[in-house]
């Protein structure tokens, strides 16, 4: 007779083992023999676990799924389940390491932008579920940034995420989450992208921003004062008026507070 | 046992525990249709785990819907039957959600889903032994104490039985209610699936469940797989409620009177009209059933 902890340990080992791996004989012996053999009864649970986890990844990464097709996605997702057994009861966050996994997943090598598309989808989900906050009004922002408040600090909206990629990742993503089918070859303007992902209200927005704005927002995200953030932006992108650029982002409700520093 | 001390018996939010209320499982695909059309439902049930994020559209929609419909919070991953301790941060988050939305019904499963730091995201079977019962009851009491109210426990769909079991499932569930003051969420599809998968009789199972312990009923569809020459029924919530399960529902209500009843559909979720049609079937059967406990019956009403 197995104790409850021993039974659940043995059951867990079986459920998380590679597909096709059978259960331990002691686990089989614990199961009542009637009709369908114990191995096949246990296999139903294992199939449920894999179906659930692979399905959760497919739901979180629809563009990746569409880019590689269902068969390859299942193959990759199954490998992910094997190497990243779920540790959190929160299924929503199960795929958080999937972008990193894909980056090192050799069979996905021919699609070099795949892990960046996955990273964008992961940030999209983070933004989707992030805490609510009232966006900073444009007037309050303009006052903060133009009226000598150079030492003020801005706080990014809790749903704001930044990412950069050497690939046109947001354009690839857009094409692959739109419902209309892509026919034949599609031309995508090449080049690196700097992205702001933010959900000021009910809808997540993916915005392409300038390299300078990206650097300034990253500095703001690290808690630097406005003047320092603008300088950081100007360093990488001296050609643009960052004040105006950030104002247009504030118009898009990217920030949620502006505090005067003493 | 005096386990109910300090645990409030709730009958708020529009319907009582013995009412003929009818609801459906809430799916994101139906947020807009529910808000726009306000179909005549008495309650919506959510998987609590899907609302554990800090904010975003799930909470925006649920907040709006909570103004129109009573809610049922149905947990799928507390692992009440697990040998490991319950996750405290998880329970705290449950409490926050219950405080925020004040659901009419709160439930979890007689199953385990976590062990040794891993979460399997499936409702796994426990042997029906005294050891399992002690563990389960300890966890139910912990959940009830944190939430400050009694909870309902649901009979799981099972694909196997353990040799070590010393009790039938019905006996095990009834004993858990006696020890903890919890009540039952009777999933009739699960009763049918589990008894068929063991070559047992669903009617006999149900005869072991006293009606006054049942405070909610679940109905759903299941799939039939064939292994060699044997059939096994899989609780996939991906099709209409089957005829034998409607029959069990009708028979059960004839015996115990109407109960808040939920239509579940979680796989290949169809247009909301399909779910509303199923809910209407349940309402017709419930309308034909005699109210067995009229003093406690509060007439249900939508919005």
């Amino acid at each position: 007779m197995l104790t409850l902890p021993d039974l659940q340990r043995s059951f867990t080992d079986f459920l998380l083992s590679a597909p096709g791996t059978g259960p331990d004989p002691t686990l089989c012996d614990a199961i009542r023999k009637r009709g369908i053999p114990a191995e096949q009864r246990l296999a139903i649970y294992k199939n449920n676990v894999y179906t659930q986890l692979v399905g959760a990844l497919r739901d979180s990464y629809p563009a990746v799924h569409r880019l590689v097709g269902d068969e390859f996605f299942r193959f990759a997702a199954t490998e992910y389940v094997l190497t990243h057994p779920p540790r959190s009861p929160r299924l929503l966050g199960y795929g958080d390491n999937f972008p990193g996994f894909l980056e090192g997943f050799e069979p996905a090598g021919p699609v070099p932008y795949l892990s960046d598309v996955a990273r964008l989808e992961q940030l999209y989900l983070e933004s989707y579920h992030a805490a609510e906050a009232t966006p900073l009004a444009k007037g309050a922002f303009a006052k903060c940034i133009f009226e000598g408040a150079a030492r003020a600090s801005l706080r990014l909206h809790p749903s704001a995420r930044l990412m950069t990629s050497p690939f046109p990742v947001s354009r690839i993503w857009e094409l692959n989450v739109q419902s209309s089918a892509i026919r034949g070859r599609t031309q995508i303007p090449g080049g690196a992208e700097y992205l702001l992902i933010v959900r000021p209200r009910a809808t997540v927005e993916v915005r392409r921003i300038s390299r300078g704005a990206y650097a300034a927002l990253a500095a703001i995200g690290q808690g630097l004062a406005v003047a320092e953030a603008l300088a950081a932006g100007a360093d990488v992108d001296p050609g643009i008026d960052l004040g105006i650029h950030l104002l247009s982002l504030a118009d898009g409700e990217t920030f949620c507070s502006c505090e005067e520093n003493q | 046992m005096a386990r109910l001390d300090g645990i409030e018996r709730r009958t708020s939010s529009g319907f009582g525990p013995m009412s003929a209320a009818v609801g459906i499982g809430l799916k994101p695909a139906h947020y807009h249709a529910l808000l726009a059309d306000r179909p005549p439902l008495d309650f919506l049930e959510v998987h609590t785990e899907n609302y554990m994020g800090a904010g975003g559209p799930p909470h925006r929609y649920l907040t709006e819907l909570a103004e129109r419909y009573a809610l049922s919070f149905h947990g799928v991953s507390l692992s009440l039957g697990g040998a490991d301790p319950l996750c405290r941060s998880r329970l705290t988050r449950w409490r926050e959600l219950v405080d925020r939305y004040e659901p009419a019904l709160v439930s979890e499963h007689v199953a385990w889903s976590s062990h040794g730091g891993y979460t399997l995201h499936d409702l796994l079977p426990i042997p029906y032994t005294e050891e399992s019962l002690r563990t389960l009851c300890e966890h139910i009491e912990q959940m009830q104490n944190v939430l400050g109210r009694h909870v309902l426990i649901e009979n799981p769909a099972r694909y196997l039985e353990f040799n070590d079991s010393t009790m039938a499932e019905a006996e095990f569930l009834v004993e858990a209610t006696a020890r903890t003051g919890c009540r039952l969420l009777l999933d009739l599809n699960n009763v049918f699936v589990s008894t068929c998968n063991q070559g047992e009789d669903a009617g006999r199972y149900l005869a072991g469940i006293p009606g006054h312990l049942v405070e909610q009923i679940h109905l759903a569809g299941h799939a039939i797989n064939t292994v060699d020459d044997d059939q096994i029924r899989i609780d996939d919530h991906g099709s209409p409620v089957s005829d034998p399960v409607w029959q069990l529902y009708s028979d059960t209500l004839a015996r115990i009177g109407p109960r808040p009843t939920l239509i579940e559909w979680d796989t290949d979720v169809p247009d909301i009209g399909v779910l509303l049609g199923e809910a209407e079937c349940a309402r017709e059967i419930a309308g034909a059933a005699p109210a067995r406990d009229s003093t406690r019956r509060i007439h249900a009403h939508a919005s």
Side-chain angles (χ1 to χ4, degrees):
Chain A
M1 177 171 171
L2 289 168
T3 63
L4 194 62
D6 286 345
L7 174 69
Q8 293 183 351
R9 186 179 313 118
S10 179
F11 214 123
T12 301
D13 288 347
F14 167 64
L15 294 175
L16 294 176
S17 63
T21 307
D24 192 88
T26 52
L27 181 59
C28 288
D29 289 345
I31 289 157
R32 194 176 293 171
K33 300 205 171 15
R34 188 179 291 176
I36 294 168
E39 288 83 353
Q40 294 189 354
R41 292 180 180 272
L42 284 163
I44 294 169
Y45 288 99
K46 185 167 181 170
N47 183 55
N48 284 352
V49 169
Y50 270 86
T51 302
Q52 176 86 318
L53 295 174
V54 170
L57 290 170
R58 196 180 48 229
D59 291 347
S60 297
Y61 297 97
V64 171
H65 179 254
R66 185 153 163 186
L67 275 167
V68 299
D70 193 59
E71 194 182 342
F72 188 90
F73 189 89
R74 281 174 185 283
F75 165 57
T78 302
E79 283 298 306
Y80 180 76
V81 174
L82 271 172
T83 51
H84 298 73
R87 291 189 165 272
S88 165
R90 191 161 173 259
L91 194 54
L92 289 174
Y94 174 58
D96 284 357
N97 296 313
F98 196 52
F101 164 82
L102 285 177
E103 195 173 352
F105 189 52
E106 214 185 330
V111 193
Y113 49 82
L114 194 65
S115 61
D116 277 3
V117 174
R119 193 161 290 115
L120 172 55
E121 297 203 285
Q122 197 251 321
L123 294 176
Y124 184 99
L125 271 185
E126 275 189 27
S127 185
Y128 184 90
H129 290 289
E132 306 289 335
T134 307
L136 186 67
K138 192 179 178 183
F141 175 81
K143 193 161 181 276
C144 176
I145 205 160
F146 290 121
E147 293 182 11
R151 290 171 61 203
S153 289
L154 284 163
R155 198 156 65 84
L156 289 174
H157 192 276
S159 67
R161 299 289 184 275
L162 293 164
M163 84 166 271
T164 175
S165 167
F167 304 103
V169 62
S170 72
R171 295 175 201 273
I172 298 170
W173 171 77
E174 276 164 5
L175 277 172
N176 284 283
V177 289
Q178 285 161 359
S179 54
S180 59
I182 306 166
R183 291 203 176 80
R185 285 177 173 275
T186 305
Q187 283 296 325
I188 292 178
E193 281 188 342
Y194 299 87
L195 300 175
L196 167 68
I197 300 115
V198 66
R199 194 209 77 239
R201 299 195 185 271
T203 310
V204 179
E205 296 162 23
V206 177
R207 302 187 197 147
R208 290 182 278 273
I209 59 176
S210 70
R211 194 175 159 210
Y214 179 91
L217 289 180
I220 287 167
Q222 287 163 11
L224 268 63
V226 170
E228 294 167 287
L230 290 176
D235 274 353
V236 298
D237 205 352
I240 64 161
D241 185 335
L242 266 176
I244 297 295
H245 202 109
L246 288 184
L247 187 63
S248 77
L249 290 176
D251 201 19
E253 305 182 319
T254 303
F255 306 98
C256 68
S257 74
C258 179
E259 286 152 16
E260 286 288 331
N261 289 336
Q262 297 307 310
Chain B
M1 293 174 79
R3 293 298 187 187
L4 271 174
D5 291 356
I7 293 170
E8 192 187 347
R9 288 212 169 268
R10 306 265 290 233
T11 56
S12 61
S13 305
F15 60 84
M18 305 297 162
S19 82
V22 174
I24 62 171
L26 176 60
K27 296 282 137 192
H30 299 150
Y31 284 151
H32 289 291
L34 285 165
L35 287 169
D37 304 336
R38 299 186 181 211
L41 294 163
D42 303 306
F43 70 101
L44 298 171
E45 185 162 289
V46 300
H47 287 177
T48 315
E49 285 70 11
N50 292 339
Y51 293 84
M52 297 224 162
H59 286 288
R60 282 172 184 263
Y61 289 116
L62 191 60
T63 302
E64 271 195 71
L65 288 166
E67 288 171 13
R68 300 169 190 193
Y69 298 103
L71 297 178
S72 166
F73 273 20
H74 186 51
V76 293
S77 70
L78 269 183
S79 198
L80 292 179
D84 283 355
L86 294 191
C87 173
R88 282 178 180 277
S89 61
R90 206 82 186 144
L91 272 177
T92 305
R93 186 69 185 128
W94 251 96
R95 171 74 199 229
E96 289 165 2
L97 288 167
V98 165
D99 285 348
R100 177 171 172 183
Y101 290 103
E102 300 186 326
L105 300 163
V106 166
S107 54
E108 248 292 352
H109 293 84
V110 178
W112 65 282
S113 55
S114 300
H115 189 80
Y118 296 107
T119 300
L120 289 319
H121 297 288
D122 194 26
L123 297 163
L124 302 161
I126 50 174
Y128 294 131
T129 60
E130 178 57 33
E131 182 193 18
S132 298
L133 189 59
R134 271 199 311 272
T135 302
L136 176 75
C137 288
E138 202 178 293
H139 291 160
I140 292 171
E141 282 175 355
Q142 199 182 344
M143 183 181 180
Q144 294 187 139
N145 287 333
V146 171
L147 300 186
R149 57 191 282 170
H150 85 289
V151 303
L152 312 184
I153 54 168
E154 178 182 339
N155 57 299
R158 289 164 67 101
Y159 310 114
L160 55 78
E161 291 304 330
F162 294 104
N163 287 321
D164 289 342
S165 289
T166 54
M167 284 170 257
E169 183 172 282
E171 183 187 356
F172 185 86
L173 296 175
V174 170
E175 186 59 25
T177 66
R179 293 192 191 185
T180 65
C182 76
R183 290 292 178 260
L184 302 179
L185 191 184
L186 184 61
D187 188 314
L188 289 172
N189 183 57
N190 289 353
V191 169
F192 186 70
V193 163
S194 298
T195 51
C196 284
N197 286 342
Q198 288 300 319
E200 290 164 1
D201 178 53
R204 197 153 153 197
Y205 177 110
L206 289 168
I209 304 280
H212 72 277
L213 296 177
V214 179
E215 292 192 0
Q216 193 189 349
I217 290 176
H218 269 182
L219 299 172
H222 64 264
I224 303 176
N225 287 3
T226 303
V227 180
D228 299 326
D229 287 335
D230 291 309
Q231 280 188 342
I232 191 141
R233 290 174 194 261
I234 308 290
D235 176 45
D236 68 348
H237 297 187
S239 57
V241 177
S242 64
D243 288 343
V245 173
W246 281 123
Q247 189 59 51
L248 284 181
Y249 182 58
S250 184
D251 293 349
T252 300
L253 263 52
R255 179 169 70 91
I256 71 172
R259 290 293 186 278
T261 298
L262 182 89
I263 304 293
E264 294 183 290
W265 201 314
D266 297 310
T267 309
D268 300 328
V269 178
D271 185 84
I272 194 166
V274 178
L275 271 78
L276 295 175
E278 295 278 282
E280 211 39 54
C281 288
R283 200 184 288 285
E284 277 173 32
I285 292 171
R292 294 283 172 180
D293 195 353
S294 57
T295 53
R296 294 177 66 187
R297 185 163 184 246
I298 303 164
H299 190 70
H301 55 91
S303 67

